[in-house]
Amino acid sequence: QQPVQSPQAVILREGEDAVINCSSSKALYSVHWYRQKHGEAPVFLMILLKGGEQKGHEKISASFNEKKQQSSLYLTASQLSYSGTYFCGPPMMIKAAGNKLTFGGGTRVLVKP
Amino acid sequence: DSGVTQTPKHLITATGQRVTLRCSPRSGDLSVYWYQQSLDQGLQFLIQYYNGEERAKGNILERFSAQQFPDLHSELNLSSLELGDSALYFCASSGTSGVQYFGPGTRLTVL
């Protein structure tokens, strides 16, 4: 099953903040976040391994609430370079039948000058 | 540069044909994943291999098959191609952390 991301798209002005959410109906053991710029391959941003853990990458940070099976990505003081599609990623490899290791549907972010 | 290589970069073929996409993972990574991304769509997980064995399967069509060889490179075979198979096909590899490193992709156009 695919994690659900919201919103599907967001348009920001440089310097504005945004939050992207990722929810799963299945237990999450970890969450990965990736960013894909137009015409390029997805690139790993960060991984959150423990419930409640927050990590950061430049001015992009994320939190992980294991109980709620949710993760949020925070774009703070957005820059033009933050534009792209953000995906929340699959859990760690788990030896479970039917684990499809899918990414969320993606959130398109456009940062305008 | 992620360290994952994919060939070819572009492939143009006709409906009904068969093609093979190749992926070489990062040095030391045992897992290889294949994804399909249609125009402006999300990443559709196709299949994962770990050290030569199939580990997980996604929405992979019966016309598609994959394998991972002893040297850990992987091939995705697409047969009886249809117009709707036109897409970007990404390969990714991972090590023990599960973090996926993506190759540059193969853009397949079916005419």
Side-chain angles (χ1 to χ4, degrees):
Chain A
Q1 250 185 341
Q2 189 180 45
V4 176
Q5 284 185 238
S6 62
Q8 286 188 317
V10 59
I11 300 175
L12 301 165
R13 291 283 178 194
E14 239 181 324
E16 290 182 341
D17 302 339
V19 180
I20 301 170
N21 297 303
C22 173
S23 300
S24 173
S25 58
K26 292 194 173 185
L28 294 174
Y29 298 90
S30 69
V31 176
H32 306 188
W33 285 96
Y34 295 75
R35 178 172 66 200
Q36 183 179 27
K37 302 220 173 195
H38 185 68
E40 298 179 9
V43 173
F44 169 73
L45 289 178
M46 66 188 79
I47 181 172
L48 298 109
L49 293 171
K50 297 177 186 175
E53 181 172 349
Q54 295 200 11
K55 281 211 161 187
H57 173 86
E58 299 169 347
K59 286 190 176 177
I60 299 173
S61 60
S63 63
F64 177 28
N65 187 320
E66 204 174 338
K67 268 189 178 177
K68 291 186 178 179
Q69 295 171 190
Q70 287 178 351
S71 177
S72 295
L73 189 73
Y74 306 94
L75 308 181
T76 304
S78 57
Q79 305 169 16
L80 296 176
S81 62
Y82 289 1
S83 292
T85 301
Y86 290 78
F87 295 97
C88 63
M92 296 278 283
M93 287 187 292
I94 302 169
K95 286 186 182 177
N99 180 20
K100 294 193 175 184
L101 303 177
T102 56
F103 282 89
T107 296
R108 287 193 193 179
V109 173
L110 176 61
V111 181
K112 292 185 171 182
Chain B
D1 184 0
S2 67
V4 178
T5 60
Q6 288 187 249
T7 55
K9 273 193 170 179
H10 301 277
L11 203 46
I12 301 174
T13 189
T15 54
Q17 295 298 304
R18 173 190 169 94
V19 297
T20 297
L21 281 51
R22 184 188 166 102
C23 168
S24 292
R26 290 190 324 155
S27 177
D29 285 355
L30 300 181
S31 277
V32 168
Y33 311 77
W34 285 99
Y35 294 89
Q36 179 192 56
Q37 187 174 44
S38 301
L39 190 62
D40 291 332
Q41 298 295 309
L43 293 162
Q44 298 299 317
F45 169 66
L46 296 178
I47 198 163
Q48 178 207 358
Y49 279 84
Y50 177 79
N51 203 20
E53 293 191 4
E54 184 183 302
R55 174 64 73 92
K57 215 168 186 175
N59 300 320
I60 187 166
L61 300 172
E62 283 190 14
R63 300 183 286 109
F64 296 0
S65 65
Q67 53 185 328
Q68 186 179 27
F69 296 87
D71 67 353
L72 300 177
H73 91 271
S74 179
E75 292 181 355
L76 179 67
N77 300 296
L78 315 176
S79 61
S80 303
L81 286 167
E82 302 175 357
L83 295 177
D85 297 330
S86 295
L88 251 179
Y89 290 83
F90 286 108
C91 162
S93 74
S94 73
T96 52
S97 72
V99 172
Q100 296 188 23
Y101 296 89
F102 285 78
T106 292
R107 183 172 294 281
L108 173 67
T109 302
V110 182
L111 301 175

